[in-house]
Amino acid sequence: MDVNQVLESTLSPDASTRQNAEQQLSQAAEVDFSGYLITLAQELANEQALPHIRTSAGLALKNAFSSREYARLREVQQRWIGQIDPNVKKNVKGLALHTLGSKDGRAGQSAGQFIASIAAIELPRNEWPELMPTLVTNVGEGEDQQKQASLVTIGYICESDDPLLRESLVQHSNSILTAVVAGARKEEENLEVRFAAITALSDCLEFVRTNFDNEGERNYIMQVVCEATQSGDNRIEAGAFGCLNRIMALYYDKMKFYMEKALYGLTIIGMRNEEEDVAKLAVEFWCTICEEEIAIEDDNALTVAEGGGDMRDHFGFARIAAKEVIPALLGLLTKQDEDAGEDDYNISRAAYQCLQLFALAVGGEIMEVVLRFVDQNLEDSDWHKRDAAVSAFGAIMEGPDEKMLIPVIKQALPSLLKRMSDDVIQVQDSAAFALGRILEAGAITIDTNTQLPPLIEALFGGLASSPKMAGSCCWALMNLCDHFAGELGQATGPLSPHFQASVTALLSVTERAEGDSQLRMAAYEVLNVFVVNSAADCLPVVAKLSNVILERLENTIPMQQQIVSVEDRVILEEIQTSLASCLLTIIQRLEVEIKPQADRIMNVLLRILATVGAKSSVPDTVFSAVGALSNAIHEDFVKYMESFAPFLYNALGNQDEPQLCSMAIGLVSDLANSIKEQIQPFCDSFMNYLLNNLRSPSLSNQFKPAILQTFGDIAQAIGPQFETYLAIVAQVLQQAANVTVSPDGNFEMQDYVVSLREGIMDAWNGIILAMKQGKAQLLTDYVESIFHLLSLVAHDSNRSEPLLRSSMGVIGDLADAFPQGEYVNYYRADWITAMIKDVRTNRDFTGATIETARWAKEQVKRQTANAQGVQMS
């Protein structure tokens, strides 16, 4: 293999050439992994090689020990640990460290990435002890290129997400700080070195808590960072403000002195910097302060509610600085970029975000200065100022007391509606968004007779006038629906007089939006919200809407034959998904009244399933609509099962598309609950697919609770006929019950165990109810294991309300299944009584949970009473 040629080919713009080269590298690694690493490391360190060849070599080395998937990452790391001779390791690492001193900066950075990938393996194992001292020496004594590359390497190491590496870095905090602070000082003349040091400092701040606890070290670090904000180099200044953001987030409790001495002034100056990247990060510093102080207030309130404990320090930095920071933010709001895209984050949007956070952190104290700004600029001839005024008003709608907001909103509403007709589209869009904020926070101040009609007219007018306003207008309309919906099922509501016109307008927008998929999808979303919140007097309109949506869905089916590009397919799938989602909402709202349309609905949904391509997202929504229809028409759905079942089987067996498989599992439960015992002819296939999915290594553990719950739903549906599957399902449930986690285990595992137990309990609930119908004795072999699981739940502090509610159901149903007190000894256990009492008396639980616990208590009483009666007789 000509390594130079292969490495060059990995950078080829031709995909075939690139893939062939990558395949050759993979084959070389498989044949002789040690030789592969040495060859690449030598090429990386070769000063005679072309720069892009060296970079490619470093990238290949890094990729040999990197992966986005955790399991794969540990697998490739194990190759270094178990397959490579120590001398080869030493040689390869030495070549990489040597390359940090190369005159070719790209080679040095590429070497740094590889070094970081090996550090992730060796530092947690307390290996490579010379790495950090070498990097420190490089920064202190090396040439500028070596300094920079070494600092970049430290940054790569510290930014890693690897939990084991991050934990191990704490013991290296002194070495890391020595290097990065030395490079970040104002005495460092090379700006590239200083910038690399500031970047690395930001990456390592999480690991230097011990150093920050030391006042002397903390003072020096803060001095270096503060001086960097005034370096005169925009990159360094932006990096320094980024450091201050992280420092504030990590060490808020130690910042009072520095805020008073320097940070107030430095950040105000930074916000006025002409370089936007610097100004944005100075603004974000205040965002961080607000977020921290909001979080501290929440934590302290929770501490008080829970009966006391250590309160976190709250210094009120935001409140103290509001009089200076808020005017600066308002000024920055006027620096809009009219060419900015929706996702562009510029200084104006940063200022808006910060103003929102100040309103949440400080409340009504900022209203006076903001409202003065709004009053002065709302009618200004400069559109930038009008737009800033509108935006500022919307930004403060959450945080201040509602009593303060009500009169302000009433006064401002006519002016905001006027801005919906502004000459400049940016102002119109900001006005729509501000109206959305008002509707989100203070819609109770809007009079339904005098103010609601012009508000709806303005928002629909904006939606129809320009696609640029679509997002803001749609969001505002959704908030409007939510706030004026009233109670579900009410006879009429504030939106009823406007419902027909709103539906017509939205349908018109979706028809006109052929070239704008975002506008079309947003309009359908709003239509869904209108349907969900429709009052009873709007249902005839909803019923007519079903015809329109079905016709549109039917018209999409021939379009499959007209697809000529990937873009065509994406657009068609977006249309079908939006329409199917709308149909789903209509079914859920009309409930049994949808029955006359059921044949037509299933016909079109089955045709869509038959024509969509592989990996399509459309079936997910179609399955949801099918589930909604089965819930609406119950047993009448059975006539569609023969036609629909093959699609459901395919989805259950499609482990390559986990989302679709998950939808299918849930749909089996829906069908079992809907058509009851008539699902029995399909159960053999369902059970085979579900059991295969339980055993599959391809599907994550998160699928298991839902599958177990589905077993319970099937059992409850087919009753005693579940005997066929009882033995194998019981074995699965017993095995699942053995999964435990220690109290100090990670939260993700704890949550999984709780959800798994919820699934087990739901399964036993359904099985017990099924077997109660004349076959209770079949449960005898499993009673002990059921009570063992109940005992685990009773004695485990890590449990949820749904788990306890299901546990109460199992306790009661099992007692009811054996009414003669056959298992009274289990029910006399103290922990059973205590568990039922805990649930029954918990004021935080819902009425359904408490009622289930009361019922369980009565069943236990009957169990013990009947047992005594049997003994006496």
Side-chain angles (χ1 to χ4, degrees):
M1 179 180 76
D2 183 345
V3 68
N4 281 335
Q5 183 59 51
V6 174
L7 289 172
E8 179 143 19
S9 296
T10 63
L11 304 173
S12 171
D14 180 67
S16 177
T17 302
R18 192 169 59 249
Q19 289 169 4
N20 184 51
E22 290 169 353
Q23 189 173 16
Q24 287 186 65
L25 288 176
S26 297
Q27 289 172 350
E30 290 298 323
V31 172
D32 180 7
F33 192 44
S34 294
Y36 172 77
L37 296 178
I38 291 172
T39 300
L40 290 177
Q42 288 172 340
E43 204 59 36
L44 173 65
N46 183 3
E47 293 291 341
Q48 307 307 313
L50 294 171
H52 64 279
I53 298 294
R54 300 180 71 185
T55 302
S56 181
L59 184 62
L61 283 167
K62 183 205 67 138
N63 290 342
F65 301 105
S66 304
S67 177
R68 293 180 181 177
E69 296 180 6
Y70 182 80
R72 175 61 180 162
L73 175 64
R74 290 292 176 249
E75 181 183 324
V76 297
Q77 289 179 335
Q78 193 60 41
R79 295 182 75 182
W80 176 266
I81 296 168
Q83 296 183 19
I84 308 301
D85 181 84
N87 290 326
V88 174
K89 291 181 183 179
K90 183 178 180 180
N91 187 11
V92 170
K93 291 187 296 185
L95 288 167
L97 286 172
H98 175 76
T99 307
L100 294 179
S102 172
K103 298 295 184 183
D104 180 359
R106 288 181 298 173
Q109 291 199 20
S110 190
Q113 290 179 307
F114 169 57
I115 290 168
S117 69
I118 299 302
I121 304 171
E122 297 205 338
L123 293 185
R125 297 165 60 84
N126 293 318
E127 297 173 352
W128 209 355
E130 68 273 18
L131 173 61
M132 287 303 177
T134 299
L135 295 175
V136 173
T137 301
N138 288 351
V139 175
E141 301 174 6
E143 297 294 327
D144 286 346
Q145 284 282 14
Q146 191 175 41
K147 287 183 180 180
Q148 182 185 353
S150 298
L151 287 164
V152 168
T153 301
I154 291 172
Y156 286 147
I157 294 170
C158 292
E159 73 180 8
S160 169
D161 292 328
D162 190 306
L164 297 177
L165 174 60
R166 295 177 75 82
E167 185 178 337
S168 70
L169 287 176
V170 174
Q171 62 183 299
H172 298 285
S173 63
N174 287 331
S175 297
I176 293 170
L177 267 183
T178 299
V180 297
V181 173
R185 294 177 306 160
K186 65 181 180 182
E187 289 79 12
E188 175 56 61
E189 297 179 358
N190 187 300
L191 296 181
E192 298 297 329
V193 171
R194 197 174 179 194
F195 174 59
I198 282 291
T199 303
L201 177 58
S202 180
D203 290 327
C204 77
L205 285 167
E206 185 178 336
F207 314 114
V208 297
R209 184 168 295 277
T210 302
N211 305 83
F212 251 83
D213 286 340
N214 183 297
E215 184 179 0
E217 292 187 53
R218 183 172 69 246
N219 287 342
Y220 187 53
I221 295 169
M222 292 301 297
Q223 177 187 334
V224 168
V225 176
C226 288
E227 288 172 349
T229 66
Q230 307 298 301
S231 69
D233 182 284
N234 291 329
R235 298 170 308 154
I236 295 172
E237 291 180 2
F241 280 115
C243 276
L244 290 177
N245 291 348
R246 295 208 67 188
I247 289 169
M248 182 58 72
L250 292 166
Y251 305 109
Y252 173 93
D253 58 312
K254 295 179 171 60
M255 288 296 106
K256 190 171 186 292
F257 171 78
Y258 308 103
M259 288 296 294
E260 293 171 352
K261 295 296 182 183
L263 297 184
Y264 280 115
L266 285 177
T267 51
I268 295 293
I269 293 171
M271 290 164 66
R272 294 173 181 152
N273 196 299
E274 291 298 318
E275 175 57 40
E276 188 171 273
D277 286 343
V278 177
K280 280 192 299 186
L281 284 159
V283 169
E284 287 175 20
F285 175 79
W286 288 101
C287 291
T288 302
I289 286 177
C290 290
E291 287 168 344
E292 281 300 306
E293 296 192 336
I294 293 166
I296 291 169
E297 286 184 350
D298 291 343
D299 289 347
N300 288 345
L302 183 62
T303 299
V304 172
E306 291 178 346
D310 292 335
M311 304 282 279
R312 294 180 60 190
D313 289 330
H314 187 295
F315 300 122
F317 296 145
R319 181 168 282 104
I320 294 168
K323 290 183 180 179
E324 291 185 61
V325 176
I326 298 301
L329 293 174
L330 294 171
L332 293 174
L333 283 177
T334 66
K335 296 185 179 296
Q336 306 94 326
D337 178 1
E338 54 194 286
D339 297 322
E342 282 188 21
D343 298 328
D344 290 346
Y345 183 64
N346 52 38
I347 187 61
S348 176
R349 290 174 180 174
Y352 179 85
Q353 178 187 5
C354 193
L355 190 58
Q356 279 185 299
L357 289 167
F358 260 95
L360 288 168
V362 178
E365 294 182 30
I366 68 169
M367 284 188 66
E368 182 180 349
V369 63
V370 173
L371 293 177
R372 188 185 313 120
F373 175 84
V374 172
D375 187 55
Q376 291 171 352
N377 293 283
L378 197 56
E379 302 289 340
D380 199 276
S381 59
D382 183 349
W383 76 265
H384 296 85
K385 293 183 178 180
R386 296 198 305 275
D387 184 73
V390 170
S391 298
F393 188 84
I396 63 170
M397 286 297 100
E398 186 179 3
D401 188 88
E402 192 176 88
K403 292 178 180 178
M404 298 179 71
L405 288 173
I406 288 174
V408 170
I409 293 173
K410 283 183 176 179
Q411 182 180 353
L413 191 58
S415 297
L416 289 173
L417 290 174
K418 181 180 177 182
R419 294 276 70 83
M420 286 290 291
S421 302
D422 197 278
D423 295 335
V424 179
I425 188 65
Q426 284 88 348
V427 181
Q428 295 177 32
D429 185 47
S430 294
F433 194 81
L435 290 169
R437 292 276 295 170
I438 291 171
L439 290 163
E440 186 180 43
I444 58 170
T445 66
I446 296 173
D447 185 271
T448 56
N449 295 318
T450 61
Q451 294 176 315
L452 182 57
L455 178 57
I456 291 177
E457 182 182 355
L459 291 172
F460 275 111
L463 185 58
S465 68
S466 173
K468 290 184 178 180
M469 296 177 62
S472 297
C473 288
C474 287
W475 180 66
L477 284 166
M478 284 191 278
N479 287 338
L480 181 143
C481 282
D482 289 338
H483 284 288
F484 286 106
E487 299 206 2
L488 187 64
Q490 63 184 355
T492 189
L495 294 178
S496 293
H498 313 284
F499 191 80
Q500 175 69 73
S502 298
V503 168
T504 302
L506 288 165
L507 287 173
S508 176
V509 170
T510 59
E511 283 184 320
R512 288 188 294 101
E514 290 184 8
D516 190 332
S517 60
Q518 284 190 324
L519 173 58
R520 181 176 52 245
M521 288 190 293
Y524 275 121
E525 270 190 73
V526 178
L527 185 57
N528 289 345
V529 177
F530 267 88
V531 170
V532 166
N533 294 306
S534 57
D537 58 353
C538 299
L539 294 186
V541 179
V542 176
K544 290 180 181 177
L545 176 63
S546 68
N547 286 314
V548 177
I549 299 302
L550 281 168
E551 183 178 354
R552 291 187 178 186
L553 259 178
E554 289 162 347
N555 291 338
T556 66
I557 295 172
M559 294 180 188
Q560 289 282 359
Q561 308 304 318
Q562 302 166 19
I563 292 174
V564 295
S565 67
V566 174
E567 184 180 2
D568 288 346
R569 183 172 298 282
V570 170
I571 291 172
L572 179 57
E573 290 191 359
E574 286 175 349
I575 293 172
Q576 289 183 325
T577 299
S578 293
L579 288 167
S581 177
C582 193
L583 180 60
L584 161 66
T585 307
I586 291 169
I587 294 169
Q588 291 173 328
R589 184 67 190 91
L590 291 177
E591 296 178 318
V592 72
E593 299 300 322
I594 197 66
K595 187 175 178 180
Q597 294 275 42
D599 286 355
R600 188 180 178 189
I601 290 171
M602 282 305 297
N603 179 267
V604 70
L605 294 180
L606 289 170
R607 289 171 65 195
I608 289 173
L609 289 173
T611 55
V612 294
K615 305 292 184 181
S616 170
S617 60
V618 177
D620 291 11
T621 312
V622 170
F623 275 23
S624 295
V626 170
L629 185 63
S630 72
N631 290 334
I633 65 176
H634 303 297
E635 288 88 349
D636 289 328
F637 188 85
V638 73
K639 66 179 180 178
Y640 308 116
M641 282 298 296
E642 286 292 342
S643 301
F644 177 64
F647 297 107
L648 186 53
Y649 296 153
N650 286 339
L652 285 169
N654 190 351
Q655 297 180 7
D656 293 332
E657 297 184 62
Q659 176 64 29
L660 181 60
C661 186
S662 175
M663 291 290 300
I665 293 166
L667 185 49
V668 172
S669 284
D670 288 341
L671 293 171
N673 292 325
S674 297
I675 65 176
K676 308 297 183 185
E677 68 278 358
Q678 295 180 88
I679 202 173
Q680 199 277 330
F682 308 93
C683 282
D684 281 355
S685 296
F686 286 152
M687 292 299 295
N688 282 332
Y689 279 111
L690 292 171
L691 288 167
N692 285 338
N693 287 340
L694 266 182
R695 302 185 189 104
S696 171
S698 302
L699 295 176
S700 73
N701 284 338
Q702 303 310 315
F703 282 74
K704 293 180 180 178
I707 293 173
L708 300 182
Q709 184 182 37
T710 303
F711 289 154
D713 291 330
I714 291 173
Q716 198 166 343
I718 65 176
Q721 295 178 85
F722 193 78
E723 177 186 354
T724 306
Y725 317 110
L726 178 59
I728 183 64
V729 171
Q731 182 182 8
V732 167
L733 297 178
Q734 289 170 327
Q735 290 172 347
N738 292 327
V739 177
T740 58
V741 60
S742 62
D744 57 348
N746 68 64
F747 292 127
E748 186 176 333
M749 187 61 184
Q750 290 179 6
D751 288 344
Y752 168 65
V753 169
V754 170
S755 63
L756 186 66
R757 289 175 178 175
E758 288 173 7
I760 299 169
M761 287 298 182
D762 287 339
W764 279 124
N765 255 324
I767 292 169
I768 294 167
L769 287 170
M771 295 300 107
K772 273 201 307 185
Q773 303 171 44
K775 294 192 175 182
Q777 291 307 314
L778 295 176
L779 297 171
T780 302
D781 292 341
Y782 313 115
V783 171
E784 183 178 354
S785 63
I786 292 173
F787 274 95
H788 174 68
L789 176 60
L790 287 167
S791 175
L792 289 176
V793 173
H795 294 97
D796 193 340
S797 59
N798 183 38
R799 56 195 192 184
S800 65
E801 181 181 349
L803 174 57
L804 289 171
R805 182 168 59 248
S806 295
S807 299
M808 295 299 102
V810 168
I811 289 170
D813 285 330
L814 200 56
D816 191 40
F818 297 95
Q820 301 306 312
E822 293 92 326
Y823 297 104
V824 67
N825 289 337
Y826 288 112
Y827 283 99
R828 283 174 175 160
D830 290 341
W831 60 264
I832 285 278
T833 305
M835 185 182 185
I836 294 174
K837 182 179 179 181
D838 286 346
V839 178
R840 186 170 52 85
T841 58
N842 192 319
R843 302 283 184 182
D844 294 329
F845 286 172
T846 62
T849 301
I850 294 171
E851 187 56 39
T852 304
R854 287 173 179 162
W855 175 78
K857 180 185 177 185
E858 293 304 314
Q859 295 305 311
V860 171
K861 278 185 178 179
R862 185 181 301 175
Q863 175 85 184
T864 53
N866 289 348
Q868 290 174 355
V870 170
Q871 290 173 358
M872 290 176 64
S873 63

